[in-house]
Amino acid sequence: QVHLVESGGGLVQPGGSLRLSCAASGSIFSLYVIGWYRQALGKQRELVAHITRGGSTNYTDSVKGRFTISRDDAKNTVYLKMNNLKPGDTAVYYCKADGGYWGQGTQVTVSS
């Protein structure tokens, strides 16, 4: 019964920034972990970052120092702030919650 909706993607130039949002239909307080994944053309879906209910975060090496995941329980929303975007960040970004719930994804394209 958990529904996730991603938003905030778009076309940006290298070095630009975006903030993705993952809005949940219900309270995210009961969810232990919410993660952002991405899938580029011709590649497997990979974990980008995740955040626990207690606020602990983890990032894949390629985005460390550039991306920040956060959560706002009052808004039932998890964010992914992406700075200094690179062409290699181009992908569809998905939100995932405990129990295998996935959003529909939002496209991020980094191109000059």
Side-chain angles (χ1 to χ4, degrees), residues 25-42:
S25 60
S27 175
I28 62 173
F29 180 77
S30 63
L31 301 175
Y32 287 98
V33 179
I34 299 178
W36 282 99
Y37 292 71
R38 67 186 181 188
Q39 186 168 18
L41 285 175

Side-chain angles (χ1 to χ4, degrees), residues 1-14:
Q1 297 190 92
V2 177
H3 300 282
L4 305 172
V5 179
E6 303 95 335
S7 63
L11 174 64
V12 297
Q13 294 184 342

Side-chain angles (χ1 to χ4, degrees), residues 89-101:
D89 297 318
T90 296
V92 178
Y93 284 71
Y94 299 89
C95 183
K96 179 183 180 294
D98 284 354
Y101 297 99

Side-chain angles (χ1 to χ4, degrees), residues 28-36 47 49-59 69-73 77-79 96-98:
I28 62 173
F29 180 77
S30 63
L31 301 175
Y32 287 98
V33 179
I34 299 178
W36 282 99
L47 175 68
H50 69 244
I51 186 166
T52 69
R53 186 167 60 191
S56 179
T57 61
N58 210 343
Y59 302 89
I69 188 171
S70 61
R71 62 192 291 164
D72 186 338
D73 289 354
T77 301
V78 173
Y79 303 97
K96 179 183 180 294
D98 284 354

